[in-house]
Amino acid sequence: MTKKKSIATKLLIALAALTLISCCFLGSTFARYTSGGSGTATTSVAKWDVSLVGADSLTPTFADLSPEPKPYTPGTSRTNSTGKVKVAELSNAGEVDALVTFTFDATATITYSDGGNFASIAPGEYKPGAESEVQDLFSIKLYYSTETDSAEAATNAMESGKTKVSLTAGSGKVYVYAEVIWASNDKGSGSDPGEAADKLDTWVGENVESISFKISYIAEQKFEEPAGD
């Protein structure tokens, strides 16, 4: 009886081993089909091309400027301007709309005739108390047009660092003009019929070679590509 059980156990083990072996053969024989492949996802980059047109952009030269020649008249401001001169032309040849902002100095930089500075100039019979009195005589204003390149068309006033001009992709342009203004300091001229203001203007004419204002711009992307939600 014990021998029969032993034989039966051995037969069961042998059967199990054969079953496993046959499963291995069947498994490799009837494996499922598989396929594969690979590719590359590509997007082109929207071109950015906002640039100045002309070699002299942002470096204009104005004609000589002098004060208003008329004598002081109560209630009237004496000012004289260079007139509008083209300072920049910007073109957007890219594929993205842009916003352009111009920044310009509020205070003039003074270059003196003797090559020195305000402090180095001898007082003489008259000299203003501070260089700021000279700087306050002068200001610059910028105007722009996006349609026509002319001083007459440039009627949109710019505020330094704040005015944003839109340039359409592929065709947008902006024409920027500026004028420098000499405004005689007639704040106290009511008591001396313009005498002090005239002295200051004359001192400037005798001692100042030129005045200048820095101008710069920054162009920024207006919209994303493709347009967001």
Side-chain angles (χ1 to χ4, degrees):
M1 190 70 172
T2 302
K3 280 186 177 182
K4 287 182 179 181
K5 285 183 178 180
S6 176
I7 294 171
T9 300
K10 290 179 180 178
L11 289 173
L12 287 172
I13 292 172
L15 181 61
L18 290 172
T19 301
L20 288 173
I21 292 170
S22 64
C23 284
C24 290
F25 283 116
L26 288 172
S28 66
T29 302
F30 298 107
R32 59 184 176 179
Y33 294 127
T34 61
S35 298
S38 64
T40 302
T42 304
T43 180
S44 59
V45 175
K47 184 180 180 182
W48 178 257
D49 187 5
V50 177
S51 58
L52 288 168
V53 177
D56 58 347
S57 283
L58 295 183
T59 58
T61 300
F62 295 86
D64 290 348
L65 180 62
S66 63
E68 165 61 54
K70 295 179 181 179
Y72 170 72
T73 301
T76 303
S77 298
R78 291 185 291 173
T79 62
N80 190 28
S81 166
T82 59
K84 294 178 182 177
V85 173
K86 187 175 179 180
V87 299
E89 178 182 335
L90 276 172
S91 174
N92 184 359
E95 299 173 325
V96 182
D97 289 353
L99 288 175
V100 179
T101 306
F102 277 80
T103 301
F104 44 94
D105 287 344
T107 303
T109 297
I110 310 297
T111 300
Y112 294 95
S113 303
D114 66 353
N117 53 36
F118 179 80
S120 68
I121 299 174
E125 293 183 6
Y126 170 82
K127 182 180 179 180
E131 186 179 46
S132 59
E133 293 182 39
V134 179
Q135 293 170 317
D136 289 345
L137 296 174
F138 302 98
S139 61
I140 188 170
K141 291 184 178 179
L142 267 64
Y143 308 87
Y144 74 93
S145 169
T146 55
E147 301 294 332
T148 305
D149 183 8
S150 71
E152 293 74 21
T155 57
N156 301 293
M158 283 186 169
E159 187 175 357
S160 178
K162 293 184 179 180
T163 302
K164 295 185 181 296
V165 183
S166 181
L167 292 185
T168 304
S171 61
K173 285 191 174 184
V174 60
Y175 310 99
V176 183
Y177 285 74
E179 63 174 341
V180 178
I181 302 164
W182 185 333
S184 298
N185 185 11
D186 283 324
K187 293 177 182 177
S189 291
S191 60
D192 68 357
E195 182 180 352
D198 291 345
K199 282 185 177 180
L200 177 56
D201 286 345
T202 301
W203 186 91
V204 171
E206 293 172 340
N207 294 280
V208 173
E209 175 70 25
S210 64
I211 59 171
S212 58
F213 297 86
K214 290 181 181 179
I215 303 172
S216 62
Y217 80 91
I218 184 169
E220 304 169 281
Q221 178 180 330
K222 186 176 182 181
F223 300 120
E224 62 185 13
E225 295 290 343
D229 296 331

